[in-house]
Structures are given as structure tokens and as C-alpha cells.
Amino acid sequence: MTTIAVVTAGLSQPSSTRLLADKLAAAVSVALPDVKIEVIELRDLAVDVTKNMLTGFPSPALRAAIDTVTTADGLIAVTPVFTASYSGLFKSFFDVLDQKVLDGKPVLIGATGGTERHSLVLDFALRPLFAYLRAEPVATAVYAASSDWASPGDLDKRASRAGRELASRLSSEEGTAAAPESGFVPFEELLRAGE
């Protein structure tokens, strides 16, 4: 079964960040019915994340969250916008992960904020963060401003498109893993074989 970890960094309860995360997870579930969704609410782990940054040792709850992200086939990551970027809690969580755990992992990114003018956070903060972590964000990222919740038709369309993209990436990776080898040997492997 395909597993998706959903990391949401909303601070209030309920939060629009969690609502967007749930909407994106539902969109993936429609496109990929046999999927297990595991949600990580970072607000519940804020103290644990801080202690881990200070000591280098995760609590059992934080260790479980890290393991969920590490073992998931895909990731949905949603943050509120603070001062034109992702929240400190969101960044701190990804700071405590081993740098290699997201290598090649498909990611659907999302953000929430008060106005539409903060939507550039997707391309100027979140994409660079996940590029640094060597994750692979899908083409469509989803930003939800406060006005999107009053009339969510367009937001639903964007979420559906992004969900289909993540589901497609996960489906194609399953097919690739099961496909027979083509006989193609990457250049790097040829170099190593000659050593």
C-alpha cells in the first residue's frame, strides 16, 4: 500500500493550514484510492522539535513523526506564511530530519495566508527548501488565501490537479520499481565499475 505523510504546520485549532492539508490529501485519495494517509500536526510537536534542536535527541513522539516522513512513499507539506516565508516551526521540523531522507521523494507543497500576494512563497521559499533536501515537488503547488475559503471552487480545482500529479508520480514509481531492467547502465556506475 502506498503511504503519504502529511506535515501541517498550522498553529491554531482548527487552522486553515490543516484544512488545506486535508483537502490535498483527499485529492490524492481520489486519484489513488489505495493510499494510506498519515497526518503529522507540528503544533503538537513544537516543544519536542525545539528540544531536539538543542540536544540532538528526538522524543518518542518526534521520532515517530520522523519515521513516518522517512518511510512514506510521498509527502504533502503545508505551512502558514509568516513574514513572507514558511513558519519557523515548519522549517525547524525539516531541519531536524537527516538531510538525505527526502532524497527523490515526491512532494506536494502548499501554503496558506491572509492575501493572494503571499502566494510567491511557494516558488521562492518552499521549492528552494525542498530542492536543497533533494525532494521532488510536483509541478502544481497550492496556495490558499483567506478569500479562497469563501468560494472554494478554484481552490478545489487546484487541489485536485496537484493531487492527481502526486498520485501519478507515485503510480509511475511503483511501475518503475516493478519494471524489468532495460540493460541501461548510468555513466556513474560505469565509472565506479572501472575503479
Side-chain angles (χ1 to χ4, degrees), residues 4-156:
I4 296 176
V6 179
V7 175
T8 174
L11 298 180
S12 59
Q13 202 169 22
S15 74
S16 59
T17 304
R18 174 62 190 265
L19 292 174
L20 179 58
D22 289 345
K23 186 178 286 287
L24 296 175
V28 175
S29 296
V30 167
L32 190 67
D34 190 27
V35 66
K36 180 181 178 186
I37 305 290
E38 297 185 43
V39 178
I40 299 165
E41 283 270 11
L42 293 184
R43 69 183 303 277
D44 298 335
L45 298 169
V47 172
D48 297 328
V49 169
T50 303
K51 286 181 179 176
N52 187 99
M53 293 186 80
L54 295 172
T55 66
F57 297 102
S59 68
L62 181 57
R63 170 50 53 204
I66 291 169
D67 290 345
T68 296
V69 169
T70 301
T71 60
D73 300 300
L75 177 65
I76 296 173
V78 186
T79 180
V81 175
F82 290 147
T83 320
S85 191
Y86 35 68
S87 74
L89 178 58
F90 184 84
K91 177 65 163 64
S92 295
F93 176 75
F94 287 100
D95 282 344
V96 301
L97 294 179
D98 182 283
Q99 190 175 343
K100 297 176 184 172
V101 300
L102 296 182
D103 196 352
K105 194 177 295 280
V107 180
L108 193 169
I109 56 176
T112 59
T115 68
E116 293 83 357
R117 56 175 210 249
H118 294 300
S119 64
L120 290 175
V121 72
L122 296 168
D123 292 322
F124 291 100
L126 287 167
R127 285 194 190 278
L129 170 66
F130 287 105
Y132 176 78
L133 295 171
R134 301 182 54 83
E136 297 180 3
V138 297
T140 302
V142 181
Y143 179 82
S146 298
S147 59
D148 285 316
W149 300 106
S151 178
D154 184 52
L155 177 60
D156 290 341

